[in-house]
């Protein structure tokens, strides 16, 4: 009796690809462009901003489609005094127009109410843009920032009122870099308050219905280090936390890292790589839309203390391919194969054809589960991690056991 061609193919497949995951060499012709330090799952293209000056420019938030930055630049002939710690003018908030390419222009003072004669720090907005959370340090102690909240007057064109210093503020330590989660329920920030793992740590507090904050919670030793950790920023889907750190084996100074958020837990931070990071300080990384954003760096080739850079990012996709077989390594056509995320949400499903093969496009540096379902067989679920930088094809054989076999073995 002749062995069916598909069975021969299946046996060859199984000999080459065991049920455990195997990686193939990259076939990407552009693999030389891959940043070996980049473990983020994103490919970055970085451009210097056209508004940089000899002063600092640091991105902070988006308000009504305008980019709000913190800067020590001067507009007009009169300055605002010199901060003895930075040797630059005291910082102000500016707003800039942003076009579809991420180019910024027309820097203007953001608010005559929020801008004072003191140092204005980072700010963040509620999702409806009706509440601003912002930091400010007074001239007599310009390294110590306190956290404030203000509300946008209804129907106004930028009149902030009901300014309140939040209870979390304390002049014995500094509160910096506020960031509101996409759903508006949490405020992330950095602080050197007592109890940190190092200098500055990352914290989160729930935002109450009246805009006040619950007790702050340290994000823990997975992201915080014995060095300074600052500038938290969550992704649009809320599944990633970007931040700057002097720890985590940074290239030098502050580097930007990303930590995945899965089931409420922060995973081990990963480098954004040398297209973003350098031996100098990289801070204030933020997305302004799905694939564009800004950060600042004090690279020596810049114009000033901290210059602003814009970036464009592309998701690095890879392939997960495989075959579904029974206990005899015979192919199982008409099997439903489902790709799931770490929370068990279905991302995609396929039904195998006569060759019993399946193929999914997956993102690099993500965790997945893959499930195989077929009538008369026990369903199988397998965990899968795409933790490679290069464009790679992953292979996995899904072997299903028949329910009849399971019963006979009992």
């Amino acid at each position: 009796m002749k062995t069916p061609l598909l069975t021969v193919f299946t046996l060859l497949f199984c000999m080459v690809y065991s049920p455990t995951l195997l990686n193939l060499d990259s076939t990407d012709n552009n693999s030389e462009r891959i940043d070996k330090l980049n473990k983020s799952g994103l490919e970055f293209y970085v451009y210097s901003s056209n508004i940089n000056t000899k002063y600092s420019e640091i991105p902070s938030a988006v308000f009504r489609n305008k980019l709000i930055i913190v800067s020590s630049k001067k507009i007009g002939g009169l300055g605002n005094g010199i901060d003895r710690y930075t040797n630059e003018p005291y910082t102000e908030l500016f707003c800039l127009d942003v076009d579809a390419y991420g180019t910024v222009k027309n820097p203007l003072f953001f608010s005559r109410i929020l801008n004072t004669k003191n140092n204005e720090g980072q700010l963040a907005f509620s999702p409806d843009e009706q509440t601003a959370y912002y930091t400010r340090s007074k001239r007599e102690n310009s390294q110590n920032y306190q956290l404030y909240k203000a509300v946008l007057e209804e129907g106004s064109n930028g009149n902030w009122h009901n300014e309140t210093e939040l209870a979390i503020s304390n002049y014995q330590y500094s509160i910096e870099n506020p960031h509101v989660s996409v759903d508006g329920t949490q405020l992330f920030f950095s602080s050197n308050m007592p109890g940190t793992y190092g200098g500055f740590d990352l914290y989160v507090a729930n935002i109450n219905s009246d805009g006040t904050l619950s007790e702050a919670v340290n994000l823990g030793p997975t992201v915080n280090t014995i060095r300074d950790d600052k500038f938290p920023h969550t992704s649009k889907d809320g599944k990633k936390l970007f931040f700057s750190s002097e720890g985590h084996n940074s290239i030098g100074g502050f580097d930007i890292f990303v930590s995945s958020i899965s089931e409420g837990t922060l995973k081990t931070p990963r480098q954004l790589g040398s297209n973003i990071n350098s031996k100098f300080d990289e801070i204030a990384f933020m997305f302004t839309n799905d694939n564009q954003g800004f950060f600042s760096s004090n690279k020596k080739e810049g114009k000033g203390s901290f210059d602003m850079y814009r970036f464009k990012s592309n998701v690095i996709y890879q392939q997960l391919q495989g075959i579904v077989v029974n206990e005899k390594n015979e192919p199982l056509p008409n099997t439903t194969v489902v790709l799931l995320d770490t929370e068990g949400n279905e991302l995609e499903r396929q039904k195998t054809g006569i060759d019993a093969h399946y193929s999914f496009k997956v993102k690099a540096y993500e965790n997945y589960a893959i499930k195989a379902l077929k009538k008369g067989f026990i369903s199988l679920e397998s965990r899968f991690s795409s933790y490679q930088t290069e464009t790679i094809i992953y292979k996995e054989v899904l072997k299903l056991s028949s329910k009849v076999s399971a019963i006979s073995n009992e």
Side-chain angles (χ1 to χ4, degrees), residues 344-363:
N345 301 310
E346 181 177 326
L347 301 175
E348 186 181 351
R349 68 169 51 206
Q350 298 174 2
K351 183 160 283 190
T352 60
I354 191 171
D355 60 359
H357 278 71
Y358 63 89
S359 178
F360 294 104
K361 186 167 74 170
V362 295
K363 296 179 181 179

Side-chain angles (χ1 to χ4, degrees), residues 152-166:
L152 187 63
E153 183 180 1
E154 187 175 354
S156 73
N157 192 29
N159 185 31
W160 296 96
H161 66 152
N162 295 340
E163 183 177 70
T164 305
E165 184 175 343
L166 295 177

Side-chain angles (χ1 to χ4, degrees), residues 295-360:
F295 68 96
S296 284
S297 176
N298 58 359
K299 294 181 176 72
K300 65 179 181 180
E301 62 266 25
K303 291 184 177 180
S305 176
F306 275 94
D307 283 347
M308 193 165 70
Y309 295 82
R310 62 185 177 93
F311 69 83
K312 184 178 184 301
S313 65
N314 292 329
V315 175
I316 298 175
Y317 285 105
Q318 300 169 346
Q319 289 290 324
L320 169 61
Q321 299 176 0
I323 187 170
V324 185
V325 298
N326 61 17
E327 302 101 314
K328 298 178 181 179
N329 288 326
E330 297 168 337
L332 290 177
N334 298 316
T335 301
T336 300
V337 184
V338 185
L339 183 69
L340 308 167
D341 65 16
T342 52
E343 279 75 39
N345 301 310
E346 181 177 326
L347 301 175
E348 186 181 351
R349 68 169 51 206
Q350 298 174 2
K351 183 160 283 190
T352 60
I354 191 171
D355 60 359
H357 278 71
Y358 63 89
S359 178
F360 294 104

Side-chain angles (χ1 to χ4, degrees), residues 228-241:
D228 284 343
D229 306 283
K230 290 187 171 187
F231 296 96
H233 175 79
T234 54
S235 58
K236 299 293 183 182
D237 60 8
K239 294 183 178 181
K240 291 182 174 61
L241 174 70

Side-chain angles (χ1 to χ4, degrees), residues 36-42 44 222-223 235 239-245 247-251 255-262 265-274 276-277 285 316 342 363-367 385-389:
K36 301 297 184 183
L37 290 176
N38 182 5
K39 310 296 183 183
S40 68
L42 298 171
F44 293 101
T222 300
V223 294
S235 58
K239 294 183 178 181
K240 291 182 174 61
L241 174 70
F242 295 88
F243 63 98
S244 292
S245 176
H248 300 295
N249 297 314
S250 70
I251 298 173
D255 278 4
I256 300 167
F257 296 86
V258 59
S259 178
S260 296
I261 305 172
S262 177
T265 302
L266 287 162
K267 304 303 181 182
T268 302
R270 307 189 305 274
Q271 257 276 3
L272 264 63
S274 56
I276 295 286
N277 293 317
F285 181 93
I316 298 175
T342 52
K363 296 179 181 179
Y365 284 91
E366 295 284 354
N367 294 310
S385 296
S386 56
Y387 280 16
Q388 296 290 333
T389 298

Side-chain angles (χ1 to χ4, degrees), residues 8 63 84 90 92-93 140 178 191 202 206 214 234 255 264 269 275 295 315 331 333 361 379 386 399 401 409:
V8 173
F63 177 75
R84 62 191 175 97
Y90 291 95
E92 306 277 11
L93 297 170
E140 57 268 26
S191 177
L202 302 177
N206 291 328
S214 67
T234 54
D255 278 4
N275 285 343
F295 68 96
V315 175
K361 186 167 74 170
S379 61
S386 56
K399 182 178 288 189
S401 298
N409 290 333

